[in-house]
Amino acid sequence: KPPSSIMSNMVNFNLEGMMEHKVQTDVYFVLKVTDGSGNPKDVEKVVTASLKGKFDSCKAEVTKSFAQYELKFFPGVVGLYELNIDVDGKSLYSGSDVTVKIVDRLTTKTTPLIFVIEGGLDGGLINQANFVVIRTTDTDGKPKIPQDASEIEVHVGSGGSLQKIKPIALDEAKFQAEYKADVPGFYDIDVLYEGKSVLKKKERVHITSGASPANTKAAQVPKGMVTVGEKTGFFIQARNKSDLNNTHGGDVFQVRMDGPAQVPDLIVTDSGSGKYQVDFTPPATGIYQIHISLNDQPIGNSPVKIAATRR
């Protein structure tokens, strides 16, 4: 790890990165900026950098974020390279201050890189931004910086659909992936690094519509007698925790009917607007008690009762 360099006005530039890399792969260094007390300090500087070797040289692609500059190189030939960095036209590193070794195969011994999902598994909502937070550590649980963070990919899947997301860095060893789900259900979460799954096991998150079982109610339930052999029904209005009507569908209601005879044609239709039509044809006279649940919890006015008679 190269030493830090001190600039004017007590602004420090600290260079971080590995000194050995594989040829024809992206090589990253981070130039962090701190004040005299070591706290991050955001400055606007013109940073340029290059790697110069005996048979090859390349310029850096520089990306600025808060209090740091990321330097990305792509050396094409094996050998020793000198790292040169200028800030506002003044040399920060030059010549043999920092030497980078580019090899066919990495020989540097490294501890394993462990990926852990530390946030985003406690549930989410459809049609809203949901997040998965990933921490990279060594085998002792201490933060460990990936050699190439661009190789991290998060997969979120349900049924036949799969989202592939490149996470953003929250810090050097913490990353966040954002995704949206358009239907409720269970979604599998996997993390890949360099194209390979790196979790001990895939995780799963439950996405819901945000409907509150306690506030959701059956409406327009027939109050008088209905006729045996004729279709009847009512609708369920999904409502959220603020007791407002949901305006989207996707909920899965469990509807069970107790009565004088089994009802074979009980149908629940999702209108897509937060309303769910429940239809059935009573096969015999008597009182039918209808139990309605959402997420294994009864809705606000469950069970509802409907009485059937013959003409």
Side-chain angles (χ1 to χ4, degrees):
K1 183 176 180 180
S4 63
S5 294
I6 302 176
M7 301 293 288
S8 60
N9 299 322
M10 294 302 293
V11 175
N12 301 330
F13 287 82
N14 305 285
L15 184 64
E16 295 185 358
M18 303 289 290
M19 295 297 106
E20 182 176 296
H21 295 269
K22 189 177 179 180
V23 70
Q24 293 187 351
T25 59
D26 290 331
V27 173
Y28 290 90
F29 290 92
V30 176
L31 194 62
K32 292 189 171 182
V33 188
T34 61
D35 59 20
S37 301
N39 299 314
K41 182 177 179 64
D42 197 41
V43 295
E44 291 292 337
K45 300 288 185 179
V46 177
V47 176
T48 57
S50 64
L51 284 176
K52 292 186 178 180
K54 184 175 181 180
F55 303 106
D56 183 38
S57 63
C58 55
K59 293 183 178 180
E61 178 183 318
V62 181
T63 303
K64 183 186 181 303
S65 56
F66 179 78
Q68 70 178 34
Y69 295 83
E70 182 184 78
L71 314 177
K72 176 183 174 182
F73 302 91
F74 190 84
V77 178
V78 171
L80 294 177
Y81 288 73
E82 294 177 347
L83 176 60
N84 298 278
I85 303 175
D86 291 346
V87 177
D88 285 344
K90 297 181 180 179
S91 177
L92 181 65
Y93 291 97
S94 63
S96 59
D97 289 343
V98 181
T99 301
V100 181
K101 187 177 182 180
I102 304 300
V103 297
D104 277 326
R105 299 179 64 182
L106 294 178
T107 59
T108 303
K109 293 184 178 180
T110 59
T111 57
L113 183 65
I114 309 298
F115 288 78
V116 179
I117 296 181
E118 68 170 23
L121 297 179
D122 52 350
L125 298 174
I126 64 171
N127 300 320
Q128 294 190 25
N130 298 295
F131 300 94
V132 175
V133 179
I134 305 155
R135 173 73 70 181
T136 54
T137 72
D138 60 17
T139 52
D140 295 325
K142 297 178 180 179
K144 179 177 173 62
I145 303 170
Q147 184 172 347
D148 187 355
S150 69
E151 290 290 338
I152 302 174
E153 190 170 78
V154 177
H155 288 188
V156 180
S158 177
S161 66
L162 180 66
Q163 299 179 53
K164 299 180 180 180
I165 306 125
K166 289 290 187 181
I168 63 170
L170 300 179
D171 62 35
E172 292 176 318
K174 189 175 183 179
F175 305 87
Q176 177 177 280
E178 176 182 336
Y179 68 95
K180 285 189 177 182
D182 55 3
V183 294
F186 287 95
Y187 286 72
D188 292 322
I189 309 292
D190 196 9
V191 179
L192 283 74
Y193 185 62
E194 296 179 338
K196 298 180 180 179
S197 179
V198 290
L199 295 180
K200 290 183 179 180
K201 68 178 183 69
K202 291 183 180 180
E203 298 288 358
R204 176 169 279 197
V205 62
H206 189 200
I207 302 297
T208 68
S209 71
S212 163
N215 293 336
T216 297
K217 295 181 179 179
Q220 295 184 6
V221 179
K223 294 181 179 180
M225 291 285 189
V226 300
T227 303
V228 171
E230 293 184 4
K231 186 170 76 171
T232 187
F234 56 92
F235 71 86
I236 303 167
Q237 176 62 64
R239 296 175 70 85
N240 60 28
K241 293 181 180 180
S242 299
D243 207 20
L244 300 174
N245 287 348
N246 271 12
T247 57
H248 49 258
D251 292 296
V252 179
F253 288 92
Q254 298 83 42
V255 181
R256 177 174 60 85
M257 184 173 292
D258 295 330
Q262 185 176 359
V263 179
D265 62 345
L266 182 65
I267 299 172
V268 181
T269 304
D270 183 352
S271 69
S273 64
K275 289 184 179 181
Y276 301 80
Q277 182 66 33
V278 180
D279 293 310
F280 72 99
T281 302
T285 60
I287 296 176
Y288 293 83
Q289 189 164 256
I290 305 166
H291 302 265
I292 307 165
S293 300
L294 174 64
N295 300 331
D296 296 322
Q297 297 181 47
I299 66 170
N301 59 347
S302 177
V304 298
K305 296 180 180 180
I306 296 179
T309 186
R310 297 188 183 276
R311 286 187 182 276

